Amino acid sequence: MKEMYFDAVVIGGGAAGMAAAQELDQAGFSCAIIEREEQLGGILTQCIHNGFGLIEFKEELTGPEFAERVEERLQGTTIRIFTATTVMEMETTADPKLLYCYSAQWGILRLSCRLVVLAMGCRERNRGNIRIPGDRPAGVYTAGLAQRLVNIEGYVPGKDIVIIGSGDIGLIMARRMSWVGCKVHAVVEILPYPSGLTRNIVQCLNDFDIPLYLSHLTTNIIGRDRVEGVEITPIENGALMHEKAFTIPCDTVLLSVGLVPENELSKVAGVELNPMTNGPQVDSMLMTNVPGVFACGNVLHVHDLVDYVVEESRRAGASAAQWLKGRRPQHEARLKVGANVRYVAPGRVDLQADNKIYLRSLIVKNDALLEVKVNSRVVKSQKKSHIQPSEMIELHLSPKDLEAAIGAPDPLVEIAIN
Ligand SMILES: Cc1cc2nc3c(=O)[nH]c(=O)nc-3n(C[C@H](O)[C@H](O)[C@H](O)COP(=O)(O)OP(=O)(O)OC[C@H]3O[C@@H](n4cnc5c(N)ncnc54)[C@H](O)[C@@H]3O)c2cc1C
């Protein structure tokens, strides 16, 4: 068994892992990235559409171009990159922490380190997760798998397509499948509003005349050997209108019904998860409940834009470096999810530093008011012209905003949308 030591090990070589590792290297710590695929870049490598990088690079890039730009920043660093290497198990309570990896080059590899950054991304929910009734014919794919087949393997999985769920991957695949000559008959969404970004509704559905059925449930996948159609039932006032159900003939169904942070490893390592995000609970330094284990990117919470992934992961890498230098958060307050907020990340704020918080709303609303309360008193409010669950909201809280919490026993900061 090959053994090596690093100050820090980053699990996952997507945008998040690369950005976090760069910060640790810059701070002078030895660092390794472990990536199970053969190249760095993560999910970006299969996203050949543009729309990436407007914030980070001030230009519109494709996914692979964005990944390349982030990877270029690693040139000249001493970061050790292990591709085709999977972290199988970790022991994080002892010092040093131990990671057991399987590597195509080395076989079993045991890494010891003082600190771990979790950056394993997320994976797609599948048919089993949403329990669509019907037969089990061939022709049902998750949208991300179909994207990989079309964009990387050069295989088009069908001709007549129905997409279930209006998440961003499904919307992007509606356009992609149209471009490769398929007929996309419909996108079907159970909610009364789309789950994906507005720009993707416009550019991927409206521009291609693809109908979007909101408030419609897929009640059956029809077909014995191969998909022959899907039965769709409208929902009105919360009730299924069975008498209005209809069938859309198709040979392929793509599912775009949500992403789940990939935290099997984290759970085994004793990392506590937030039930709303399925990602780790983290403090103001983006550290989990396990000392020296940090988390960032889609493994922490599912982001809409990679630019935010990189921003958050740089912060995680920088605070991980500070942790290695001995810094510990001194004055923190718990963040509480208030009315109409689905989640906030991180779960704590530092009362003596500038805090960046990402949150998602539970509602679609115009002229909304984002309100921050410290121990029930409003300390900050911000008008938002439009909010919707698919778009992450950014919030900055400075020491001045939070000064009412200083000295209070167990201070609580609540974020609500009205
Ligand atoms: C289809 C799709 C379209 C998108 N479109 C846009 C867009 O237009 N604009 C935009 O800004 N953003 C878009 N995004 C979002 C953005 O691409 C992602 O949020 C971002 O790239 C996620 O980065 P990450 O590093 O957190 O995760 P990932 O890119 O998923 O990277 C995680 C990495 O960890 C590795 N890994 C996991 N477990 C292990 C293990 N045990 N051992 C070793 N390695 C492991 C994985 O192989 C993977 O490479 C899109 C995302 C998808 C899926």
Side-chain angles (χ1 to χ4, degrees):
M1 179 165 67
K2 179 98 179 149
E3 301 203 33
M4 287 182 224
Y5 171 84
F6 296 94
D7 294 325
V9 175
V10 178
I11 311 178
M18 289 193 279
Q22 195 198 355
E23 291 293 325
L24 281 151
D25 177 84
Q26 257 169 26
F29 294 103
S30 64
C31 179
I33 298 177
I34 313 297
E35 168 54 54
R36 69 182 167 201
E37 297 295 332
E38 301 214 333
Q39 80 270 28
L40 296 177
I43 196 73
L44 289 168
T45 54
Q46 69 179 60
C47 301
I48 61 172
H49 58 282
N50 56 6
F52 297 81
L54 283 168
I55 305 169
E56 182 65 21
F57 296 106
K58 310 283 177 278
E59 57 181 303
E60 207 172 343
L61 303 169
T62 63
E65 284 168 341
F66 188 101
E68 230 172 78
R69 294 278 184 98
V70 181
E71 197 177 336
E72 272 165 19
R73 292 173 173 169
L74 305 187
Q75 281 169 14
T77 67
T78 58
I79 299 167
R80 184 81 190 261
I81 295 164
F82 296 87
T83 50
T85 304
T86 305
V87 179
M88 312 291 291
E89 230 180 279
M90 53 182 179
E91 291 168 19
T92 49
T93 42
D95 190 18
K97 302 179 193 309
L98 298 175
L99 278 78
Y100 295 89
C101 313
Y102 180 73
S103 146
Q105 189 186 356
W106 307 95
I108 302 290
L109 185 63
R110 189 170 85 164
L111 303 179
S112 47
C113 58
R114 288 172 59 204
L115 180 141
V116 173
V117 179
L118 307 173
M120 292 93 77
C122 58
R123 65 160 167 265
E124 296 179 282
R125 295 174 81 214
N126 56 34
R127 182 175 177 181
N129 295 121
I130 57 164
R131 300 193 185 91
I132 306 174
D135 299 320
R136 300 256 144 206
V140 180
Y141 300 82
T142 60
L145 172 60
Q147 184 180 54
R148 189 182 169 91
L149 291 175
V150 176
N151 292 350
I152 295 189
E153 315 293 338
Y155 170 73
V156 179
K159 277 195 197 139
D160 287 284
I161 320 288
V162 169
I163 298 179
I164 299 177
S166 59
D168 286 313
I169 315 180
L171 301 177
I172 281 164
M173 282 312 288
R175 178 177 63 184
R176 184 75 182 113
M177 297 308 268
S178 305
W179 273 339
V180 295
C182 302
K183 173 80 187 156
V184 180
H185 296 274
V187 173
V188 182
E189 170 60 60
I190 185 175
L191 295 170
Y193 50 83
S195 304
L197 297 169
T198 308
R199 73 176 196 201
N200 286 336
I201 298 289
V202 175
Q203 293 170 8
C204 303
L205 299 190
N206 301 356
D207 287 0
F208 292 81
D209 290 328
I210 297 170
L212 168 63
Y213 292 95
L214 296 173
S215 298
H216 280 70
L217 181 69
T218 306
T219 37
N220 200 358
I221 293 183
I222 304 156
R224 215 176 69 87
D225 297 325
R226 175 85 199 188
V227 173
E228 289 165 15
V230 288
E231 182 196 72
I232 308 296
T233 306
I235 303 168
E236 290 174 14
N237 302 318
L240 276 174
M241 298 287 108
H242 288 291
E243 65 285 6
K244 294 187 182 170
F246 57 98
T247 298
I248 306 176
C250 61
D251 60 23
T252 302
V253 172
L254 304 188
L255 300 174
S256 178
V257 290
L259 299 164
V260 190
E262 191 156 334
N263 275 299
E264 278 64 30
L265 261 179
S266 325
K267 279 191 257 180
V268 175
V271 170
E272 271 171 26
L273 301 187
N274 175 340
M276 286 316 289
T277 56
N278 284 305
Q281 301 269 21
V282 288
D283 66 12
S284 62
M285 293 181 79
L286 301 179
M287 188 169 79
T288 68
N289 63 304
V290 180
V293 177
F294 289 71
C296 55
N298 280 354
V299 82
L300 179 56
H301 61 113
V302 175
H303 293 61
D304 46 5
L305 297 181
V306 67
D307 307 69
Y308 298 136
V309 165
V310 169
E311 183 283 321
E312 178 184 87
S313 305
R314 267 203 300 261
R315 268 189 292 131
S319 25
Q322 286 173 5
W323 189 88
L324 283 172
K325 289 177 183 163
R327 183 178 164 235
R328 302 290 180 267
Q330 297 292 327
H331 300 283
E332 283 195 321
R334 277 183 301 131
L335 274 181
K336 183 178 169 209
V337 167
N340 301 321
V341 175
R342 199 169 127 227
Y343 73 79
V344 292
R348 298 175 90 84
V349 277
D350 185 334
L351 301 179
Q352 294 174 321
D354 284 320
N355 295 274
K356 169 77 85 70
I357 291 145
Y358 289 118
L359 62 133
R360 280 191 195 264
S361 101
L362 278 170
I363 53 167
V364 179
K365 195 172 180 198
N366 292 329
D367 300 320
L369 192 66
L370 183 61
E371 232 172 34
V372 182
K373 289 182 186 167
V374 171
N375 293 339
S376 308
R377 197 166 64 81
V378 177
V379 294
K380 185 166 190 164
S381 54
Q382 264 178 18
K383 284 190 184 148
K384 296 274 165 201
S385 55
H386 178 78
I387 51 153
Q388 59 189 54
S390 57
E391 294 187 7
M392 257 175 31
I393 302 171
E394 244 183 289
L395 173 69
H396 295 258
L397 288 179
S398 67
K400 188 156 174 25
D401 296 326
L402 299 169
E403 64 190 359
I406 292 181
D410 195 17
L412 192 62
V413 178
E414 182 176 336
I415 301 175
I417 295 172
N418 297 309

